[in-house]
Amino acid sequence: MSTMAKLELPDVHVHKSFLAAMAEFQTEGRGAEDDLSMVGGEIRQFSETWHTPEGFGTYLTQLRSQADSDGPRSFSGVPCTTYWWVDGDEYLGRIAIRHELNDALREEGGHIGFDVRPTARQQGHASAMLRAALTVCSSLGIEEALLTCVLDNAASRKVIEANGGVLQSKDHSEPRLRFLINIEANKTPDISPYHATLPLGRRFEPSTDIRDWSIFPYEIDLPPQVRVLEPPSLPEWDRHGESNPAECSMCAAKDEDSVWTDQNWRITAPKTPRGAPIVLFLEPRGHWDMADLPADRAAELGPLFQRIERAILGLGGIGRVHINRWGDGAAHLHWWFIARPAGMPQFRGSFMPLWDVVLPPVEESLWRAK
């Protein structure tokens, strides 16, 4: 199995490979009227239109909106988040996570259903895909996930049991077997409590509307437009504490309000939780900016950066520590340390600071525990 395969929300970039996979399913008989699976139902509903860009776009919109509480219902009749298992531009399979159960799903279907395309089977994809989906279940508040399979589907049973599925019924007169997976005990070990607080796979209202920020580079009205540049404003604006260092709030900060101090430096945190799991600020005790920082203080920055990054990574569930210094708001030098959650490539790079203000704030108890 490729180590690059991962869950992705349905997207147009795998269109060609998706169509090839659906053709494989149809070759083995999927899509017939008696095929009650997710793939079978979608083949019947969309196969005549999803080969065109427009038809595929309609299919994607409907599929993704099924996760919304007020969106169209999936074949299961409940809100459902569908992920595709993708390696680059190669579609390998799909997994559907139902946010809740109804009477029909308790009998057949359960919380999770999955399919791997025929040419990608017996390569470990189904098991890896299911393990990754357990994190989404945790985010949805599902403590025990119900999965079902037909009696003679040894492959599915093996995948479910490999991910902690415990058989609930041994009455082989029933048409299906039912398994329960304890999410907390079986999700990927390096998933942190923070990951469980993220609204994975479903829409959420941003906690801040970044369209109103003057530094946000786009107008979000359709079509997106780059903002018209304003004329230069020279001389530049005064930053906090620049004209009158006596007014600098960083200089006036108290050690008891800090996360860590020594004789030269102070580490502080925001007063309230933010969207990133951890945000810290490093600032010198003296009122200096980077350009006038004394050489002996500047020489201490490298070891300090290492110590702070190692401490943050040691908390677990952190993929990278982003270190930023802008300096446009305050004249007193301060470095930002923003923790990017592990396994969240959407948060990588320069937009992590924006995700930090868009995501729902971390729960107060979890934030204070860090």
Side-chain angles (χ1 to χ4, degrees):
M1 181 186 70
S2 169
T3 58
M4 299 301 293
K6 59 186 179 71
L7 293 181
E8 290 186 5
L9 289 172
D11 186 80
V12 69
H13 80 92
V14 296
H15 188 187
K16 180 179 179 180
S17 177
F18 173 87
L19 293 178
M22 294 305 107
E24 292 175 11
F25 282 122
Q26 288 179 285
T27 297
E28 66 174 14
R30 301 292 285 275
E33 289 299 325
D34 60 348
D35 181 2
L36 302 180
S37 68
M38 298 176 296
V39 168
E42 292 187 353
I43 288 173
R44 290 192 297 274
Q45 183 174 358
F46 296 104
S47 61
E48 293 185 2
T49 59
W50 61 20
H51 62 282
T52 68
E54 297 79 9
F56 194 63
T58 299
Y59 163 65
L60 291 179
T61 298
Q62 179 168 323
L63 186 60
R64 294 181 68 152
S65 61
Q66 289 172 0
D68 301 339
S69 59
D70 58 351
R73 295 283 70 88
S74 67
F75 295 108
S76 62
V78 300
C80 177
T81 296
T82 296
Y83 283 98
W84 289 350
W85 189 244
V86 173
D87 185 354
D89 290 333
E90 189 72 10
Y91 174 95
L92 299 170
R94 58 174 287 159
I95 191 163
I97 305 162
R98 293 122 193 173
H99 301 187
E100 59 194 57
L101 297 179
N102 54 26
D103 289 342
L105 288 172
R106 290 187 182 93
E107 290 298 317
E108 182 176 335
H111 286 101
I112 301 174
F114 54 88
D115 280 288
V116 174
R117 66 186 293 180
T119 54
R121 291 173 187 162
Q122 298 184 341
Q123 300 175 36
H125 291 301
S127 184
M129 183 168 56
L130 177 55
R131 179 56 58 91
L134 298 184
T135 300
V136 183
C137 291
S138 180
S139 172
L140 289 166
I142 300 171
E143 297 180 356
E144 284 190 315
L146 172 68
L147 288 85
T148 71
C149 72
V150 296
L151 291 173
D152 60 354
N153 192 339
S156 287
R157 178 171 182 170
K158 181 178 179 181
V159 167
I160 295 169
E161 291 181 332
N163 280 278
V166 177
L167 183 63
Q168 299 302 295
S169 172
K170 294 184 178 180
D171 182 359
H172 287 196
S173 65
E174 294 187 6
R176 285 183 175 264
L177 299 177
R178 295 177 182 82
F179 299 83
L180 285 180
I181 298 179
N182 182 295
I183 300 301
E184 184 63 31
N186 291 285
K187 64 186 181 182
T188 304
D190 59 354
I191 295 298
S192 73
Y194 173 80
H195 292 85
T197 68
L198 295 172
L200 302 175
R202 57 198 187 276
R203 297 184 189 277
F204 65 94
E205 291 295 323
S207 57
T208 301
D209 190 345
I210 62 175
R211 294 177 300 174
D212 294 333
W213 290 17
S214 60
I215 62 170
F216 189 66
Y218 304 104
E219 301 254 359
I220 301 301
D221 297 331
L222 295 177
Q225 294 181 343
V226 177
R227 282 186 181 269
V228 176
L229 295 179
E230 299 175 352
S233 178
L234 297 172
E236 286 208 349
W237 60 94
D238 268 2
R239 299 172 296 170
H240 174 71
E242 190 155 30
S243 297
N244 186 0
E247 297 178 353
C248 176
S249 59
M250 294 185 190
C251 291
K254 299 178 180 179
D255 283 1
E256 55 263 33
D257 296 328
S258 302
V259 175
W260 173 91
T261 63
D262 70 6
Q263 68 273 21
N264 298 323
W265 298 90
R266 179 185 291 117
I267 296 176
T268 61
K271 296 184 183 300
T272 57
R274 300 171 65 98
I278 304 165
V279 176
L280 296 175
F281 307 106
L282 172 67
E283 58 204 46
R285 288 184 179 272
H287 187 81
W288 297 299
D289 205 340
M290 190 65 196
D292 56 7
L293 188 67
D296 53 348
R297 295 288 83 80
E300 295 171 348
L301 283 173
L304 275 172
F305 284 7
Q306 281 189 316
R307 291 174 62 188
I308 296 169
E309 177 160 327
R310 288 169 179 165
I312 294 173
L313 291 173
L315 295 173
I318 307 300
R320 294 283 185 273
V321 179
H322 292 223
I323 304 175
N324 298 274
R325 181 255 174 176
W326 292 282
D328 285 332
H332 193 128
L333 175 63
H334 56 289
W335 295 86
W336 292 63
F337 291 76
I338 305 175
R340 175 177 67 71
M344 299 298 297
Q346 285 175 288
F347 299 167
R348 70 188 186 277
S350 60
F351 272 96
M352 183 62 214
L354 292 181
W355 281 109
D356 177 43
V357 297
V358 169
L359 288 167
V362 178
E363 292 179 6
E364 182 84 16
S365 59
L366 177 59
W367 179 71
R368 293 195 176 278
K370 293 291 188 180

